[in-house]
Amino acid sequence: MSHGAGVKVISILGEDYSIKAPAGEEQTLMDAAMMLKAALADTKRKYPTLIGDRLLVLAAMNLCSQQIEMKKQHQQELERYQEQVSATVETIAKTIQG
């Protein structure tokens, strides 16, 4: 019963990981691996002496920080949008009540 779910071998810091992707999620898995590798390379450039777990943890922290920042920005945009919608609705309500 292995239809749909592809096992991908992903190499991170010289270690191979066999990861089973849910059907249709193979591309997401590969993108995630590429993103992690990019974060690792970036972290390694900034902190050349870091190896193994320490490098992995710092890279992961970096990715999490970026994620939090993006969420904050998204939240602010959402709030601005909601304010605009509320203002529009109020204007319409006044017109209707006229």
Side-chain angles (χ1 to χ4, degrees):
M1 296 275 296
S2 67
H3 61 276
V7 174
K8 299 278 183 214
V9 176
I10 291 165
S11 181
I12 305 284
L13 297 178
E15 293 280 335
D16 283 351
Y17 299 90
S18 295
I19 303 175
K20 197 173 189 177
E25 293 294 317
E26 289 90 353
Q27 191 54 52
T28 304
L29 178 65
M30 298 315 283
D31 289 348
M34 278 176 62
M35 190 185 249
L36 180 55
K37 284 182 178 184
L40 284 165
D42 198 39
T43 306
K44 187 73 176 165
R45 266 198 306 277
K46 288 179 192 155
Y47 307 96
T49 56
L50 282 183
I51 54 166
D53 287 354
R54 289 172 181 270
L55 178 61
L56 204 50
V57 168
L58 194 59
M61 289 295 286
N62 229 336
L63 285 171
C64 292
S65 303
Q66 287 172 21
Q67 189 66 25
I68 291 166
E69 275 308 306
M70 280 167 64
K71 271 189 180 162
K72 272 191 212 159
Q73 286 174 6
H74 181 67
Q75 191 57 42
Q76 286 167 353
E77 282 169 22
L78 210 60
E79 282 165 13
R80 272 203 300 274
Y81 176 70
Q82 283 168 340
E83 280 168 23
Q84 286 174 350
V85 170
S86 296
T88 307
V89 169
E90 274 177 37
T91 307
I92 294 168
K94 281 178 192 156
T95 311
I96 293 169
Q97 286 166 4

